[in-house]
Amino acid sequence: MPENPESIGIWSRNRDVGQQCTKGPFRTRESSYSFISDVLNYGGLKMRRQIGIALLITAGLFGSPAASQDGKDEVAGLAQNIIAQQINAFLNDDAKAAYSLASPEIKSVFPNAERFFDMVKKTYAPVYRPGNYAFGRNQISKDGTVAFQEVLISAPDGKDWAVYYELKKQQDGSFAINGVRMKRETSSQGI
């Protein structure tokens, strides 16, 4: 409790004008500390627990978005790494390596690496032989199990494409490419 329960306003009735301010917004650090300790001592253990719980909840609320963003950044990085590995496999004509990065759903449609590789050559020529490529926007599902990644590709013929990859999280925690959609990018100024 305050030293003098009859104190009024900022100054106590019993204090000289030259003494430190003990109440209101002008109190010193020392008097602020004593005010807080007075409140804690007055409220006892119950109040200390409530303040502690409130601080933990506040820290949890403010800590979650950063942790959540870190997780999304990590998934986006994994997705970009897998896409880059597959593009490198295409550039090196390594059908097995490119096929190994496809999801089980894709592998069920194309049961071997050669059929998959032939399909990519015929249908996705800019992905098979990109001139240049750069990663664009990405989006991660709320549960972190699906990643969408835009890749901007300049094909060897000079045409620009926006390629949208879908990657799904596998049982072992890794991601695999589950689909690709291409769109001719007519407004691009090149990469």
Side-chain angles (χ1 to χ4, degrees), residues 115-164:
R115 287 182 65 186
F116 171 75
F117 211 65
D118 288 340
M119 178 274 303
V120 172
K121 285 180 190 179
K122 291 176 187 170
T123 312
Y124 298 98
V127 173
Y128 173 64
R129 287 288 186 254
N132 288 313
Y133 71 92
F135 293 105
R137 300 167 292 182
N138 61 55
Q139 191 166 9
I140 312 302
S141 65
K142 288 184 181 184
D143 62 0
T145 60
V146 180
F148 299 96
Q149 178 65 56
E150 176 185 53
V151 181
L152 307 170
I153 293 179
S154 287
D157 63 3
K159 295 179 182 172
D160 294 329
W161 296 84
V163 182
Y164 303 96

Side-chain angles (χ1 to χ4, degrees), residues 82-102:
I82 291 165
I83 293 166
Q85 285 179 45
Q86 191 176 60
I87 290 173
N88 286 333
F90 290 141
L91 289 170
N92 292 314
D93 287 319
D94 188 347
K96 288 182 182 179
Y99 186 69
S100 72
L101 298 166

Side-chain angles (χ1 to χ4, degrees), residues 1-14:
M1 293 294 287
E3 293 174 289
N4 183 358
E6 299 176 308
S7 59
I8 299 173
I10 295 175
W11 298 97
S12 167
R13 284 187 193 165
N14 297 330

Side-chain angles (χ1 to χ4, degrees), residues 12 41 51 53 64 72 74 80 104-105 114 120 130 146 148 151 153 161 163 166-167 169-170 172:
S12 167
N41 288 334
I51 290 173
I53 290 170
S64 296
K72 287 184 178 185
E74 182 180 337
Q80 291 173 1
E105 291 86 351
E114 291 73 28
V120 172
V146 180
F148 299 96
V151 181
I153 293 179
W161 296 84
V163 182
E166 176 190 353
L167 294 92
K169 192 171 194 174
Q170 305 302 299
D172 66 358

Side-chain angles (χ1 to χ4, degrees), residues 153-155 158-162 183-186 188-191:
I153 293 179
S154 287
K159 295 179 182 172
D160 294 329
W161 296 84
K183 177 183 174 192
R184 176 84 168 90
E185 191 61 48
T186 57
S188 174
Q189 300 298 313
I191 297 175

